[in-house]
Amino acid sequence: MSEALYDVVVIGGGPSGATAACDLAEAGYKVLLLDRAGRIKPCGGAVPPRLMEDFAIPQGLLVARARAARMIAPSGRMVDMPVGETGYVGMVDRDVFDEWLRERAASAGAERRKGTFEAIERDDRTGPLVAYRDERGGELQRVRARLVIGADGARSAVARQEIPGAGRNPCVFAYHEVIRAPLATAKGFDGDRCDVFYQGKLSPDFYAWVFPHGDTASIGVGSANKGFSLRGAVQHMRGDLDLAGCQTIRREGAPIPLKPLKRWDNGRDVLVAGDAAGVVAPASGEGIYYAMTCGRIAAQTAGAFLVSEKPAVLRMARKEFMRQHRRVFWILGMMQYFWYSSDKRRERFVEMCADRDVQQLTWQAYMNKRLVRAKPLAHLRIFLKDTAHLLGLRPLMQ
């Protein structure tokens, strides 16, 4: 059987892989998008306005627009953080959103195939062979590429095979249940608000959430503690919030990487992107925007590699992404390490969220995906307040 030859084979059709495939196809390259059928990633589905603009996403894909977030402390104290009159947190359903991205890539010229990646193989010819099966137990098939982009998730088989140390990247394990949205009169539920629970009983090292999705809602929790019962935490939350009687539509779980890999390429002909590269924001777990940004950078890097045929060019993907987002990732990582470590600290963290300066700068940074530099006095006030909290100089507000 003769093998097909592609400029790029993209393995994984989530937001990162579909974006890379679309951009490369639009640039005129021959692209294969290989995606495993039937998997929906557990995800709160939050997307910022900047994503909608940068990637030309139609507003019709949003199933909800949250206008506020509510932070819930271990004591039960609630702090509302309104986004503001012009802002919102967009919500998408991943099954619909991801498929739309894959279809856009196909419309741009990428070839779509359903299949499960098995291995990258090499022979005496130029370019790696991608071996896959179109169904479980099916015949092993192979295609050849000049470059492979692995966008196959947090436990990327491509990364584990091709990039040393990739299998040791730490992860948070996320689990959520998608339920039929309760009536507006349900206890505490608001279809225009994201609820985030910073409580050790629900997650010893991360957080739990209730996110509105129009006709449905996502109730989930994350933790890196393998002995912690994620399902038990969700059941506890549903009971406390009078959501136990709501119809459960589906249950999903998956690992979420905690930090970017130290290397994204094999120095030869393989590059990873999205969750496979570890680009999920610490503390918040936000991944869709960063995955798509990473996919776009991967496509740009792939184009430069295909023109130059110099493997060293592949290093530029990680350098460019980190140039844009290193500072935000570092700050969020430190925040998660310190504030999520005990209920006492979580209580103080939620108290800080009541501060107007914190709210304003947090939402501006979220919606625009960059740290706000225009208000140095506000940053100074936040720094002084944060330092006081760290030193325990401020009593908890009652």
Side-chain angles (χ1 to χ4, degrees):
M1 177 179 174
S2 62
E3 65 202 23
L5 174 64
Y6 296 88
D7 291 316
V8 182
V9 172
V10 180
I11 301 170
S16 189
T19 298
C22 183
D23 285 4
L24 285 164
E26 287 181 340
Y29 292 106
K30 186 177 181 181
V31 180
L32 173 65
L33 178 59
L34 180 68
D35 187 55
R36 186 175 65 186
R39 180 180 179 274
I40 305 172
K41 180 183 175 182
C43 177
V47 295
R50 184 175 174 185
L51 179 146
M52 307 295 287
E53 298 168 6
D54 286 359
F55 298 97
I57 304 299
Q59 291 285 321
L61 284 176
L62 297 181
V63 295
R65 292 172 178 81
R67 300 293 180 179
R70 172 171 287 181
M71 310 302 187
I72 299 98
S75 65
R77 179 188 177 185
M78 301 177 184
V79 171
D80 287 338
M81 297 179 64
V83 178
E85 293 183 3
T86 60
Y88 65 89
V89 179
M91 292 291 167
V92 297
D93 285 339
R94 288 293 301 272
D95 53 344
V96 176
F97 182 74
D98 290 14
E99 179 60 18
W100 186 90
L101 293 174
R102 290 188 287 266
E103 277 299 301
R104 181 165 69 172
S107 297
E111 180 183 340
R112 285 187 63 180
R113 291 192 196 177
K114 291 182 179 180
T116 300
F117 169 77
E118 291 285 337
I120 292 176
E121 302 174 348
R122 305 183 190 279
D123 54 19
D124 56 359
R125 294 177 58 187
T126 302
L129 285 165
V130 176
Y132 71 96
R133 301 182 193 275
D134 55 9
E135 61 183 6
R136 181 172 294 184
E139 180 183 354
L140 195 65
Q141 302 187 53
R142 293 174 176 84
V143 293
R144 191 179 297 274
R146 296 172 63 192
L147 176 71
V148 174
I149 294 179
D152 52 333
R155 296 299 193 197
S156 166
V158 175
R160 290 200 307 270
Q161 177 181 328
E162 294 291 323
I163 300 176
R168 296 191 296 271
N169 204 33
C171 289
V172 161
F173 295 88
Y175 170 78
H176 80 156
E177 296 180 1
V178 178
I179 66 168
R180 190 67 59 195
L183 298 174
T185 55
K187 177 182 176 182
F189 180 81
D190 187 334
D192 293 323
R193 187 187 66 224
C194 298
D195 290 349
V196 186
F197 296 79
Y198 296 100
Q199 300 178 336
K201 66 180 182 181
L202 296 178
S203 174
D205 53 358
F206 206 57
Y207 66 83
W209 68 84
V210 177
F211 287 172
H213 279 239
D215 293 336
T216 65
S218 165
I219 305 177
V221 64
S223 176
N225 186 336
K226 293 183 179 180
F228 184 76
S229 174
L230 301 178
R231 285 176 178 259
V234 169
Q235 293 307 307
H236 182 84
M237 195 163 35
R238 290 184 66 169
D240 280 355
L241 299 174
D242 291 340
L243 300 176
C246 295
Q247 178 190 357
T248 301
I249 298 172
R250 64 179 186 267
R251 299 178 175 89
E252 300 156 348
I256 298 174
L258 281 174
K259 63 180 181 179
L261 292 180
K262 293 182 178 180
R263 182 160 186 168
W264 292 4
D265 69 279
N266 68 346
R268 187 176 180 181
D269 48 25
V270 173
L271 178 66
V272 294
D275 279 13
V279 293
V280 174
S284 69
E286 182 190 357
I288 300 176
Y289 172 80
Y290 294 109
M292 294 179 72
T293 298
C294 187
R296 175 150 290 172
I297 291 172
Q300 294 165 351
T301 303
F305 167 81
L306 294 171
V307 171
S308 68
E309 297 186 341
K310 295 180 179 179
V313 169
L314 297 175
R315 300 175 192 167
M316 297 308 298
R318 188 182 191 279
K319 288 182 179 179
E320 176 58 22
F321 182 91
M322 297 307 290
R323 183 191 70 79
Q324 295 181 26
H325 302 292
R326 176 182 285 110
R327 190 178 178 202
V328 170
F329 273 47
W330 183 83
I331 290 172
L332 291 175
M334 292 299 293
M335 188 179 84
Q336 179 177 334
Y337 175 80
F338 183 84
W339 291 113
Y340 293 8
S341 61
S342 71
D343 271 355
K344 181 178 179 180
R345 291 179 177 178
R346 292 185 189 98
E347 195 75 36
R348 291 188 178 276
F349 173 72
V350 172
E351 180 192 343
M352 280 203 311
C353 291
D355 185 272
R356 274 191 161 183
D357 291 328
V358 171
Q359 292 185 10
Q360 184 178 36
L361 294 182
T362 296
W363 285 126
Q364 288 182 9
Y366 171 78
M367 289 187 291
N368 298 302
K369 283 294 166 276
R370 59 175 65 92
L371 295 176
V372 181
R373 302 176 185 273
K375 297 187 176 182
L377 291 179
H379 280 289
L380 177 60
R381 288 195 297 270
I382 289 174
F383 172 77
L384 294 174
K385 294 169 186 175
D386 196 24
T387 301
H389 277 287
L390 290 172
L391 298 176
L393 300 178
R394 292 187 67 191
L396 290 177
M397 297 169 62
Q398 301 299 319

